[in-house]
Amino acid sequence: MTSTQQTPDILSAEFAADPYSAYRVMRDEFPLIWHEPMKSYIVSRYEDVERAFKDKDSAFTTDNYSWQIEPVHGRTILQLSGREHSVRRALVAPAFRGNALEEQFLPVIERNSRELIDAFRADGEADLVSQFATRFPVNVIADMLGLDKGDHEKFHGWYTSVIAFLGNLSQDPVVAEAGLRTRTEFAEYMIPIIQQRRDNLGDDLLSTLCAAEVDGTRMSDEDIKAFCSLLLAAGGETTDKAIASLFANLLQHPEQLAAVREDRTLIPRAFAETLRFTPPVHMIMRQTSSEVEVSGGLIPAGATVTCLIGAANRDDRRYAEPDTFDIFRDDLSSTSAFSAAADHLSFALGRHFCVGALLAKAEVEVGVNQLLDAMPDLALQDGFVPAETGVFTRGPQSVPVRFTPADRSGSAGAAQ
């Protein structure tokens, strides 16, 4: 049967304005696309993206990161495989789970959220993106690493430049140059701090990384710098957009917001559904080690494969009514949503599952709880409809809200 649809172009303005309509066409009619400008195959169905991430048959690798990520971060854990990967992951992962997360870093998360909220809770209005979501995860990471939060603008500028480099699908030379410059600037900033911290270990994450040892292996200054760069970019950009999108989704579904406000144990469900419905990262690349068959045809060995998370997470072959935001859906588990066994694909899967998933979950739970406590009648500004922007990463640029202001002593003021 001849298709009446035109193959969507992910570099087009139409795609950037509404990728979800294009995703539907891709899944149904063009599940495998060769995109000449990107020199990449594109897959969009859940089963194909899931397979690429789990990589049980060793057909999909992260070799693409040698040109996609290493130029701006240095060599990171994402590029490693086998024992080298397992040892490096064992060096960094303990800081992001269990007692270390609960006892050492949860107070840091709570303090940073409270400080940001206190700055606007008496105003009666705020933009949850610029005044909270954009600043919160970066401040948390800086505090965790024992860095100066006064350098927030530097951190934000660096990770914005890195994300732009990673999402530079059209190969804009200005964007590429800015990303490469970031690697040099970040190294000049971080390496002296790492060296000083090795001589004066404290109770921060950077000291933990300096002292960590597994099977006689320790991280070099360059290893630590690269991991910190990755942490700032991945932890900042993705959590920033996840928090903004979560509130945008809930505020546009008042009945679900009311349910979360009443029962805070629903926050993980709201976060998991946000990750599925409006993921902060819409595409991740892999590289094939051998010829592999997917929906729609064959991908040759050595090819770059663009895995469309944003499309796969709305595949009606996997989810009922996938274009509906529903925190109560029964085909998405919140129990496993922040583990390598997640039903959604927003943290990837398998051995390269996001090491910071539980940190992101903790930040979201704390931030949502504190915002709802401080602003129980939180609502969108009249007439405002949040709009997403971005292609590689995507989220609302602004979420302006109104609420009953607290008085300067911190208690709720009279309704305005």
Side-chain angles (χ1 to χ4, degrees), residues 113 117 121 128 132 246-247 250-251 256-264 266-267 270 364-379 403:
S113 176
I117 293 170
R121 63 183 305 193
L128 293 183
F132 187 80
L246 187 153
F247 271 101
L250 287 177
L251 287 161
Q256 296 186 55
L257 174 60
V260 172
R261 184 184 292 119
E262 183 68 24
D263 179 5
R264 303 299 176 81
L266 293 174
I267 293 175
V364 167
E365 289 184 331
V366 167
V368 173
N369 268 307
Q370 290 192 359
L371 283 164
L372 292 181
D373 286 344
M375 292 158 272
D377 58 349
L378 185 72
F403 48 89

PDB file of all heavy atoms in Angstrom, residues 113 117 121 128 132 246-247 250-251 256-264 266-267 270 364-379 403:
ATOM      1  N   SER A 113      16.002  23.872  47.837  1.00  0.00           N
ATOM      2  CA  SER A 113      14.617  24.104  47.432  1.00  0.00           C
ATOM      3  C   SER A 113      13.980  25.183  48.297  1.00  0.00           C
ATOM      4  O   SER A 113      13.337  26.113  47.784  1.00  0.00           O
ATOM      5  CB  SER A 113      13.820  22.797  47.551  1.00  0.00           C
ATOM      6  OG  SER A 113      12.458  23.016  47.259  1.00  0.00           O
ATOM      7  N   ILE A 117      12.385  28.907  47.125  1.00  0.00           N
ATOM      8  CA  ILE A 117      10.965  29.196  47.353  1.00  0.00           C
ATOM      9  C   ILE A 117      10.800  30.410  48.259  1.00  0.00           C
ATOM     10  O   ILE A 117       9.930  31.272  48.039  1.00  0.00           O
ATOM     11  CB  ILE A 117      10.251  27.965  47.942  1.00  0.00           C
ATOM     12  CG1 ILE A 117      10.216  26.837  46.900  1.00  0.00           C
ATOM     13  CG2 ILE A 117       8.829  28.321  48.390  1.00  0.00           C
ATOM     14  CD1 ILE A 117       9.761  25.505  47.449  1.00  0.00           C
ATOM     15  N   ARG A 121       7.944  33.361  47.723  1.00  0.00           N
ATOM     16  CA  ARG A 121       6.673  32.887  48.273  1.00  0.00           C
ATOM     17  C   ARG A 121       5.796  34.020  48.801  1.00  0.00           C
ATOM     18  O   ARG A 121       4.581  33.856  48.927  1.00  0.00           O
ATOM     19  CB  ARG A 121       6.920  31.854  49.363  1.00  0.00           C
ATOM     20  CG  ARG A 121       7.665  32.376  50.584  1.00  0.00           C
ATOM     21  CD  ARG A 121       7.931  31.270  51.573  1.00  0.00           C
ATOM     22  NE  ARG A 121       6.712  30.581  51.956  1.00  0.00           N
ATOM     23  CZ  ARG A 121       6.628  29.747  52.982  1.00  0.00           C
ATOM     24  NH1 ARG A 121       7.706  29.495  53.716  1.00  0.00           N
ATOM     25  NH2 ARG A 121       5.501  29.173  53.288  1.00  0.00           N
ATOM     26  N   LEU A 128       7.894  29.454  37.566  1.00  0.00           N
ATOM     27  CA  LEU A 128       8.507  28.254  38.127  1.00  0.00           C
ATOM     28  C   LEU A 128       9.715  27.768  37.337  1.00  0.00           C
ATOM     29  O   LEU A 128      10.499  26.973  37.853  1.00  0.00           O
ATOM     30  CB  LEU A 128       7.468  27.127  38.224  1.00  0.00           C
ATOM     31  CG  LEU A 128       6.332  27.347  39.225  1.00  0.00           C
ATOM     32  CD1 LEU A 128       5.425  26.123  39.265  1.00  0.00           C
ATOM     33  CD2 LEU A 128       6.872  27.654  40.620  1.00  0.00           C
ATOM     34  N   PHE A 132      12.760  28.856  39.773  1.00  0.00           N
ATOM     35  CA  PHE A 132      12.931  27.621  40.549  1.00  0.00           C
ATOM     36  C   PHE A 132      13.610  26.516  39.735  1.00  0.00           C
ATOM     37  O   PHE A 132      14.743  26.136  40.035  1.00  0.00           O
ATOM     38  CB  PHE A 132      11.593  27.122  41.080  1.00  0.00           C
ATOM     39  CG  PHE A 132      11.729  25.950  42.017  1.00  0.00           C
ATOM     40  CD1 PHE A 132      12.076  26.157  43.347  1.00  0.00           C
ATOM     41  CD2 PHE A 132      11.549  24.645  41.579  1.00  0.00           C
ATOM     42  CE1 PHE A 132      12.246  25.087  44.215  1.00  0.00           C
ATOM     43  CE2 PHE A 132      11.709  23.565  42.439  1.00  0.00           C
ATOM     44  CZ  PHE A 132      12.052  23.791  43.758  1.00  0.00           C
ATOM     45  N   LEU A 246       6.579  18.748  34.777  1.00  0.00           N
ATOM     46  CA  LEU A 246       5.675  18.153  35.747  1.00  0.00           C
ATOM     47  C   LEU A 246       4.625  19.163  36.187  1.00  0.00           C
ATOM     48  O   LEU A 246       3.419  18.870  36.201  1.00  0.00           O
ATOM     49  CB  LEU A 246       6.463  17.619  36.944  1.00  0.00           C
ATOM     50  CG  LEU A 246       5.687  16.821  37.991  1.00  0.00           C
ATOM     51  CD1 LEU A 246       6.622  15.837  38.693  1.00  0.00           C
ATOM     52  CD2 LEU A 246       5.047  17.704  39.042  1.00  0.00           C
ATOM     53  N   PHE A 247       5.074  20.361  36.541  1.00  0.00           N
ATOM     54  CA  PHE A 247       4.106  21.371  36.970  1.00  0.00           C
ATOM     55  C   PHE A 247       3.241  21.849  35.817  1.00  0.00           C
ATOM     56  O   PHE A 247       2.038  22.085  35.993  1.00  0.00           O
ATOM     57  CB  PHE A 247       4.814  22.536  37.660  1.00  0.00           C
ATOM     58  CG  PHE A 247       4.976  22.323  39.128  1.00  0.00           C
ATOM     59  CD1 PHE A 247       6.189  21.902  39.642  1.00  0.00           C
ATOM     60  CD2 PHE A 247       3.913  22.495  39.999  1.00  0.00           C
ATOM     61  CE1 PHE A 247       6.334  21.674  41.003  1.00  0.00           C
ATOM     62  CE2 PHE A 247       4.054  22.268  41.357  1.00  0.00           C
ATOM     63  CZ  PHE A 247       5.266  21.865  41.866  1.00  0.00           C
ATOM     64  N   LEU A 250       0.588  19.112  35.471  1.00  0.00           N
ATOM     65  CA  LEU A 250      -0.384  19.085  36.563  1.00  0.00           C
ATOM     66  C   LEU A 250      -1.269  20.326  36.558  1.00  0.00           C
ATOM     67  O   LEU A 250      -2.482  20.233  36.793  1.00  0.00           O
ATOM     68  CB  LEU A 250       0.337  18.963  37.907  1.00  0.00           C
ATOM     69  CG  LEU A 250       0.959  17.608  38.235  1.00  0.00           C
ATOM     70  CD1 LEU A 250       1.699  17.670  39.571  1.00  0.00           C
ATOM     71  CD2 LEU A 250      -0.097  16.499  38.268  1.00  0.00           C
ATOM     72  N   LEU A 251      -0.692  21.486  36.299  1.00  0.00           N
ATOM     73  CA  LEU A 251      -1.475  22.719  36.304  1.00  0.00           C
ATOM     74  C   LEU A 251      -2.502  22.740  35.174  1.00  0.00           C
ATOM     75  O   LEU A 251      -3.537  23.420  35.283  1.00  0.00           O
ATOM     76  CB  LEU A 251      -0.545  23.925  36.197  1.00  0.00           C
ATOM     77  CG  LEU A 251       0.269  24.231  37.466  1.00  0.00           C
ATOM     78  CD1 LEU A 251       1.467  25.125  37.137  1.00  0.00           C
ATOM     79  CD2 LEU A 251      -0.609  24.885  38.535  1.00  0.00           C
ATOM     80  N   GLN A 256      -5.933  16.270  38.621  1.00  0.00           N
ATOM     81  CA  GLN A 256      -4.773  15.474  39.001  1.00  0.00           C
ATOM     82  C   GLN A 256      -3.867  16.254  39.961  1.00  0.00           C
ATOM     83  O   GLN A 256      -3.288  15.678  40.879  1.00  0.00           O
ATOM     84  CB  GLN A 256      -4.001  15.043  37.753  1.00  0.00           C
ATOM     85  CG  GLN A 256      -4.829  14.121  36.842  1.00  0.00           C
ATOM     86  CD  GLN A 256      -4.051  13.561  35.670  1.00  0.00           C
ATOM     87  OE1 GLN A 256      -3.003  12.938  35.852  1.00  0.00           O
ATOM     88  NE2 GLN A 256      -4.551  13.760  34.463  1.00  0.00           N
ATOM     89  N   LEU A 257      -3.742  17.571  39.762  1.00  0.00           N
ATOM     90  CA  LEU A 257      -3.002  18.399  40.704  1.00  0.00           C
ATOM     91  C   LEU A 257      -3.640  18.332  42.088  1.00  0.00           C
ATOM     92  O   LEU A 257      -2.939  18.203  43.101  1.00  0.00           O
ATOM     93  CB  LEU A 257      -2.957  19.844  40.217  1.00  0.00           C
ATOM     94  CG  LEU A 257      -2.328  20.863  41.166  1.00  0.00           C
ATOM     95  CD1 LEU A 257      -0.875  20.509  41.474  1.00  0.00           C
ATOM     96  CD2 LEU A 257      -2.418  22.267  40.574  1.00  0.00           C
ATOM     97  N   ALA A 258      -4.965  18.390  42.138  1.00  0.00           N
ATOM     98  CA  ALA A 258      -5.669  18.314  43.422  1.00  0.00           C
ATOM     99  C   ALA A 258      -5.405  16.978  44.100  1.00  0.00           C
ATOM    100  O   ALA A 258      -5.232  16.914  45.329  1.00  0.00           O
ATOM    101  CB  ALA A 258      -7.167  18.521  43.208  1.00  0.00           C
ATOM    102  N   ALA A 259      -5.354  15.905  43.315  1.00  0.00           N
ATOM    103  CA  ALA A 259      -5.094  14.583  43.883  1.00  0.00           C
ATOM    104  C   ALA A 259      -3.685  14.516  44.471  1.00  0.00           C
ATOM    105  O   ALA A 259      -3.481  13.976  45.570  1.00  0.00           O
ATOM    106  CB  ALA A 259      -5.270  13.508  42.813  1.00  0.00           C
ATOM    107  N   VAL A 260      -2.703  15.085  43.763  1.00  0.00           N
ATOM    108  CA  VAL A 260      -1.322  15.091  44.254  1.00  0.00           C
ATOM    109  C   VAL A 260      -1.209  15.972  45.490  1.00  0.00           C
ATOM    110  O   VAL A 260      -0.515  15.626  46.453  1.00  0.00           O
ATOM    111  CB  VAL A 260      -0.358  15.577  43.153  1.00  0.00           C
ATOM    112  CG1 VAL A 260       1.054  15.789  43.708  1.00  0.00           C
ATOM    113  CG2 VAL A 260      -0.325  14.575  42.004  1.00  0.00           C
ATOM    114  N   ARG A 261      -1.890  17.119  45.473  1.00  0.00           N
ATOM    115  CA  ARG A 261      -1.856  18.006  46.634  1.00  0.00           C
ATOM    116  C   ARG A 261      -2.408  17.295  47.878  1.00  0.00           C
ATOM    117  O   ARG A 261      -1.883  17.444  48.981  1.00  0.00           O
ATOM    118  CB  ARG A 261      -2.669  19.266  46.338  1.00  0.00           C
ATOM    119  CG  ARG A 261      -2.626  20.306  47.446  1.00  0.00           C
ATOM    120  CD  ARG A 261      -3.533  21.484  47.128  1.00  0.00           C
ATOM    121  NE  ARG A 261      -3.052  22.265  46.009  1.00  0.00           N
ATOM    122  CZ  ARG A 261      -3.704  22.460  44.873  1.00  0.00           C
ATOM    123  NH1 ARG A 261      -4.880  21.866  44.685  1.00  0.00           N
ATOM    124  NH2 ARG A 261      -3.196  23.210  43.926  1.00  0.00           N
ATOM    125  N   GLU A 262      -3.444  16.488  47.667  1.00  0.00           N
ATOM    126  CA  GLU A 262      -4.082  15.794  48.781  1.00  0.00           C
ATOM    127  C   GLU A 262      -3.277  14.571  49.228  1.00  0.00           C
ATOM    128  O   GLU A 262      -3.209  14.252  50.418  1.00  0.00           O
ATOM    129  CB  GLU A 262      -5.490  15.356  48.364  1.00  0.00           C
ATOM    130  CG  GLU A 262      -6.305  14.673  49.456  1.00  0.00           C
ATOM    131  CD  GLU A 262      -6.688  15.599  50.581  1.00  0.00           C
ATOM    132  OE1 GLU A 262      -6.738  16.831  50.345  1.00  0.00           O
ATOM    133  OE2 GLU A 262      -6.929  15.112  51.713  1.00  0.00           O
ATOM    134  N   ASP A 263      -2.663  13.889  48.291  1.00  0.00           N
ATOM    135  CA  ASP A 263      -1.939  12.650  48.591  1.00  0.00           C
ATOM    136  C   ASP A 263      -0.550  12.740  47.965  1.00  0.00           C
ATOM    137  O   ASP A 263      -0.358  12.450  46.786  1.00  0.00           O
ATOM    138  CB  ASP A 263      -2.704  11.447  48.029  1.00  0.00           C
ATOM    139  CG  ASP A 263      -1.994  10.122  48.282  1.00  0.00           C
ATOM    140  OD1 ASP A 263      -0.950  10.117  48.975  1.00  0.00           O
ATOM    141  OD2 ASP A 263      -2.481   9.076  47.781  1.00  0.00           O
ATOM    142  N   ARG A 264       0.426  13.111  48.760  1.00  0.00           N
ATOM    143  CA  ARG A 264       1.766  13.345  48.229  1.00  0.00           C
ATOM    144  C   ARG A 264       2.476  12.060  47.807  1.00  0.00           C
ATOM    145  O   ARG A 264       3.506  12.125  47.124  1.00  0.00           O
ATOM    146  CB  ARG A 264       2.614  14.097  49.269  1.00  0.00           C
ATOM    147  CG  ARG A 264       2.008  15.416  49.724  1.00  0.00           C
ATOM    148  CD  ARG A 264       1.834  16.402  48.574  1.00  0.00           C
ATOM    149  NE  ARG A 264       1.161  17.615  49.019  1.00  0.00           N
ATOM    150  CZ  ARG A 264       1.754  18.617  49.637  1.00  0.00           C
ATOM    151  NH1 ARG A 264       3.060  18.573  49.886  1.00  0.00           N
ATOM    152  NH2 ARG A 264       1.070  19.674  50.006  1.00  0.00           N
ATOM    153  N   LEU A 266       1.525  10.353  45.589  1.00  0.00           N
ATOM    154  CA  LEU A 266       1.309  10.312  44.150  1.00  0.00           C
ATOM    155  C   LEU A 266       2.399  11.053  43.376  1.00  0.00           C
ATOM    156  O   LEU A 266       2.430  10.988  42.143  1.00  0.00           O
ATOM    157  CB  LEU A 266      -0.057  10.919  43.800  1.00  0.00           C
ATOM    158  CG  LEU A 266      -1.295  10.147  44.267  1.00  0.00           C
ATOM    159  CD1 LEU A 266      -2.559  10.949  43.970  1.00  0.00           C
ATOM    160  CD2 LEU A 266      -1.357   8.776  43.598  1.00  0.00           C
ATOM    161  N   ILE A 267       3.282  11.752  44.064  1.00  0.00           N
ATOM    162  CA  ILE A 267       4.322  12.516  43.361  1.00  0.00           C
ATOM    163  C   ILE A 267       5.186  11.625  42.472  1.00  0.00           C
ATOM    164  O   ILE A 267       5.445  11.982  41.307  1.00  0.00           O
ATOM    165  CB  ILE A 267       5.186  13.315  44.357  1.00  0.00           C
ATOM    166  CG1 ILE A 267       4.342  14.424  45.009  1.00  0.00           C
ATOM    167  CG2 ILE A 267       6.405  13.932  43.661  1.00  0.00           C
ATOM    168  CD1 ILE A 267       5.067  15.185  46.101  1.00  0.00           C
ATOM    169  N   ALA A 270       3.278  11.022  39.363  1.00  0.00           N
ATOM    170  CA  ALA A 270       3.228  12.215  38.510  1.00  0.00           C
ATOM    171  C   ALA A 270       4.551  12.428  37.793  1.00  0.00           C
ATOM    172  O   ALA A 270       4.587  12.838  36.623  1.00  0.00           O
ATOM    173  CB  ALA A 270       2.866  13.430  39.355  1.00  0.00           C
ATOM    174  N   VAL A 364      12.830  16.050  42.730  1.00  0.00           N
ATOM    175  CA  VAL A 364      11.445  16.297  42.339  1.00  0.00           C
ATOM    176  C   VAL A 364      10.507  16.152  43.535  1.00  0.00           C
ATOM    177  O   VAL A 364       9.627  16.992  43.756  1.00  0.00           O
ATOM    178  CB  VAL A 364      11.029  15.350  41.197  1.00  0.00           C
ATOM    179  CG1 VAL A 364       9.526  15.368  40.991  1.00  0.00           C
ATOM    180  CG2 VAL A 364      11.738  15.747  39.911  1.00  0.00           C
ATOM    181  N   GLU A 365      10.686  15.096  44.321  1.00  0.00           N
ATOM    182  CA  GLU A 365       9.804  14.894  45.472  1.00  0.00           C
ATOM    183  C   GLU A 365       9.919  16.043  46.469  1.00  0.00           C
ATOM    184  O   GLU A 365       8.915  16.549  46.970  1.00  0.00           O
ATOM    185  CB  GLU A 365      10.118  13.560  46.144  1.00  0.00           C
ATOM    186  CG  GLU A 365       9.679  12.353  45.323  1.00  0.00           C
ATOM    187  CD  GLU A 365       9.925  11.038  46.053  1.00  0.00           C
ATOM    188  OE1 GLU A 365      10.867  10.984  46.872  1.00  0.00           O
ATOM    189  OE2 GLU A 365       9.177  10.083  45.799  1.00  0.00           O
ATOM    190  N   VAL A 366      11.132  16.467  46.757  1.00  0.00           N
ATOM    191  CA  VAL A 366      11.333  17.567  47.695  1.00  0.00           C
ATOM    192  C   VAL A 366      10.768  18.864  47.119  1.00  0.00           C
ATOM    193  O   VAL A 366      10.022  19.594  47.791  1.00  0.00           O
ATOM    194  CB  VAL A 366      12.823  17.736  48.035  1.00  0.00           C
ATOM    195  CG1 VAL A 366      13.070  19.062  48.755  1.00  0.00           C
ATOM    196  CG2 VAL A 366      13.309  16.579  48.891  1.00  0.00           C
ATOM    197  N   GLY A 367      11.113  19.160  45.875  1.00  0.00           N
ATOM    198  CA  GLY A 367      10.667  20.404  45.268  1.00  0.00           C
ATOM    199  C   GLY A 367       9.156  20.501  45.170  1.00  0.00           C
ATOM    200  O   GLY A 367       8.563  21.540  45.516  1.00  0.00           O
ATOM    201  N   VAL A 368       8.504  19.446  44.707  1.00  0.00           N
ATOM    202  CA  VAL A 368       7.047  19.459  44.578  1.00  0.00           C
ATOM    203  C   VAL A 368       6.389  19.584  45.946  1.00  0.00           C
ATOM    204  O   VAL A 368       5.449  20.376  46.138  1.00  0.00           O
ATOM    205  CB  VAL A 368       6.550  18.204  43.836  1.00  0.00           C
ATOM    206  CG1 VAL A 368       5.028  18.138  43.855  1.00  0.00           C
ATOM    207  CG2 VAL A 368       7.059  18.201  42.398  1.00  0.00           C
ATOM    208  N   ASN A 369       6.851  18.815  46.911  1.00  0.00           N
ATOM    209  CA  ASN A 369       6.284  18.909  48.262  1.00  0.00           C
ATOM    210  C   ASN A 369       6.412  20.319  48.832  1.00  0.00           C
ATOM    211  O   ASN A 369       5.437  20.874  49.356  1.00  0.00           O
ATOM    212  CB  ASN A 369       6.982  17.908  49.192  1.00  0.00           C
ATOM    213  CG  ASN A 369       6.275  16.571  49.261  1.00  0.00           C
ATOM    214  OD1 ASN A 369       5.077  16.510  49.535  1.00  0.00           O
ATOM    215  ND2 ASN A 369       7.001  15.502  49.002  1.00  0.00           N
ATOM    216  N   GLN A 370       7.586  20.906  48.728  1.00  0.00           N
ATOM    217  CA  GLN A 370       7.792  22.227  49.323  1.00  0.00           C
ATOM    218  C   GLN A 370       7.013  23.304  48.583  1.00  0.00           C
ATOM    219  O   GLN A 370       6.476  24.238  49.206  1.00  0.00           O
ATOM    220  CB  GLN A 370       9.283  22.556  49.365  1.00  0.00           C
ATOM    221  CG  GLN A 370      10.059  21.701  50.365  1.00  0.00           C
ATOM    222  CD  GLN A 370      11.469  22.223  50.602  1.00  0.00           C
ATOM    223  OE1 GLN A 370      11.904  23.207  50.021  1.00  0.00           O
ATOM    224  NE2 GLN A 370      12.204  21.543  51.464  1.00  0.00           N
ATOM    225  N   LEU A 371       6.924  23.206  47.269  1.00  0.00           N
ATOM    226  CA  LEU A 371       6.144  24.186  46.517  1.00  0.00           C
ATOM    227  C   LEU A 371       4.666  24.087  46.861  1.00  0.00           C
ATOM    228  O   LEU A 371       3.988  25.116  47.035  1.00  0.00           O
ATOM    229  CB  LEU A 371       6.357  23.985  45.017  1.00  0.00           C
ATOM    230  CG  LEU A 371       7.689  24.511  44.463  1.00  0.00           C
ATOM    231  CD1 LEU A 371       7.970  23.927  43.083  1.00  0.00           C
ATOM    232  CD2 LEU A 371       7.684  26.035  44.396  1.00  0.00           C
ATOM    233  N   LEU A 372       4.138  22.882  46.968  1.00  0.00           N
ATOM    234  CA  LEU A 372       2.721  22.723  47.304  1.00  0.00           C
ATOM    235  C   LEU A 372       2.436  23.133  48.748  1.00  0.00           C
ATOM    236  O   LEU A 372       1.361  23.659  49.056  1.00  0.00           O
ATOM    237  CB  LEU A 372       2.280  21.279  47.063  1.00  0.00           C
ATOM    238  CG  LEU A 372       2.254  20.834  45.599  1.00  0.00           C
ATOM    239  CD1 LEU A 372       1.788  19.389  45.493  1.00  0.00           C
ATOM    240  CD2 LEU A 372       1.362  21.745  44.764  1.00  0.00           C
ATOM    241  N   ASP A 373       3.395  22.917  49.644  1.00  0.00           N
ATOM    242  CA  ASP A 373       3.224  23.374  51.025  1.00  0.00           C
ATOM    243  C   ASP A 373       3.184  24.899  51.095  1.00  0.00           C
ATOM    244  O   ASP A 373       2.366  25.485  51.807  1.00  0.00           O
ATOM    245  CB  ASP A 373       4.370  22.861  51.906  1.00  0.00           C
ATOM    246  CG  ASP A 373       4.256  21.382  52.225  1.00  0.00           C
ATOM    247  OD1 ASP A 373       3.158  20.807  52.036  1.00  0.00           O
ATOM    248  OD2 ASP A 373       5.271  20.806  52.657  1.00  0.00           O
ATOM    249  N   ALA A 374       4.095  25.545  50.353  1.00  0.00           N
ATOM    250  CA  ALA A 374       4.198  26.999  50.399  1.00  0.00           C
ATOM    251  C   ALA A 374       3.076  27.683  49.626  1.00  0.00           C
ATOM    252  O   ALA A 374       2.671  28.800  49.969  1.00  0.00           O
ATOM    253  CB  ALA A 374       5.548  27.441  49.832  1.00  0.00           C
ATOM    254  N   MET A 375       2.564  27.002  48.598  1.00  0.00           N
ATOM    255  CA  MET A 375       1.556  27.607  47.721  1.00  0.00           C
ATOM    256  C   MET A 375       0.428  26.616  47.464  1.00  0.00           C
ATOM    257  O   MET A 375       0.303  26.075  46.359  1.00  0.00           O
ATOM    258  CB  MET A 375       2.210  28.023  46.405  1.00  0.00           C
ATOM    259  CG  MET A 375       3.198  29.161  46.555  1.00  0.00           C
ATOM    260  SD  MET A 375       4.393  29.248  45.215  1.00  0.00           S
ATOM    261  CE  MET A 375       5.659  28.159  45.844  1.00  0.00           C
ATOM    262  N   PRO A 376      -0.413  26.348  48.465  1.00  0.00           N
ATOM    263  CA  PRO A 376      -1.455  25.328  48.310  1.00  0.00           C
ATOM    264  C   PRO A 376      -2.494  25.658  47.237  1.00  0.00           C
ATOM    265  O   PRO A 376      -3.167  24.749  46.747  1.00  0.00           O
ATOM    266  CB  PRO A 376      -2.091  25.243  49.705  1.00  0.00           C
ATOM    267  CG  PRO A 376      -1.714  26.515  50.384  1.00  0.00           C
ATOM    268  CD  PRO A 376      -0.385  26.902  49.836  1.00  0.00           C
ATOM    269  N   ASP A 377      -2.650  26.934  46.873  1.00  0.00           N
ATOM    270  CA  ASP A 377      -3.623  27.292  45.837  1.00  0.00           C
ATOM    271  C   ASP A 377      -2.942  27.654  44.521  1.00  0.00           C
ATOM    272  O   ASP A 377      -3.470  28.413  43.705  1.00  0.00           O
ATOM    273  CB  ASP A 377      -4.509  28.448  46.305  1.00  0.00           C
ATOM    274  CG  ASP A 377      -3.704  29.703  46.667  1.00  0.00           C
ATOM    275  OD1 ASP A 377      -2.470  29.610  46.751  1.00  0.00           O
ATOM    276  OD2 ASP A 377      -4.329  30.761  46.873  1.00  0.00           O
ATOM    277  N   LEU A 378      -1.779  27.094  44.289  1.00  0.00           N
ATOM    278  CA  LEU A 378      -0.988  27.343  43.094  1.00  0.00           C
ATOM    279  C   LEU A 378      -1.827  27.123  41.830  1.00  0.00           C
ATOM    280  O   LEU A 378      -2.499  26.110  41.684  1.00  0.00           O
ATOM    281  CB  LEU A 378       0.214  26.387  43.090  1.00  0.00           C
ATOM    282  CG  LEU A 378       1.260  26.522  41.998  1.00  0.00           C
ATOM    283  CD1 LEU A 378       2.097  27.772  42.219  1.00  0.00           C
ATOM    284  CD2 LEU A 378       2.165  25.280  42.013  1.00  0.00           C
ATOM    285  N   ALA A 379      -1.772  28.092  40.908  1.00  0.00           N
ATOM    286  CA  ALA A 379      -2.500  27.978  39.642  1.00  0.00           C
ATOM    287  C   ALA A 379      -1.750  28.742  38.565  1.00  0.00           C
ATOM    288  O   ALA A 379      -0.983  29.666  38.850  1.00  0.00           O
ATOM    289  CB  ALA A 379      -3.917  28.523  39.782  1.00  0.00           C
ATOM    290  N   PHE A 403      -0.573  32.661  43.300  1.00  0.00           N
ATOM    291  CA  PHE A 403      -0.910  31.962  44.537  1.00  0.00           C
ATOM    292  C   PHE A 403      -1.117  33.003  45.620  1.00  0.00           C
ATOM    293  O   PHE A 403      -0.738  34.173  45.475  1.00  0.00           O
ATOM    294  CB  PHE A 403       0.217  30.992  44.938  1.00  0.00           C
ATOM    295  CG  PHE A 403       1.590  31.623  44.902  1.00  0.00           C
ATOM    296  CD1 PHE A 403       2.126  32.278  46.013  1.00  0.00           C
ATOM    297  CD2 PHE A 403       2.361  31.582  43.742  1.00  0.00           C
ATOM    298  CE1 PHE A 403       3.376  32.870  45.973  1.00  0.00           C
ATOM    299  CE2 PHE A 403       3.619  32.173  43.690  1.00  0.00           C
ATOM    300  CZ  PHE A 403       4.129  32.821  44.804  1.00  0.00           C
TER     301      PHE A 403
END
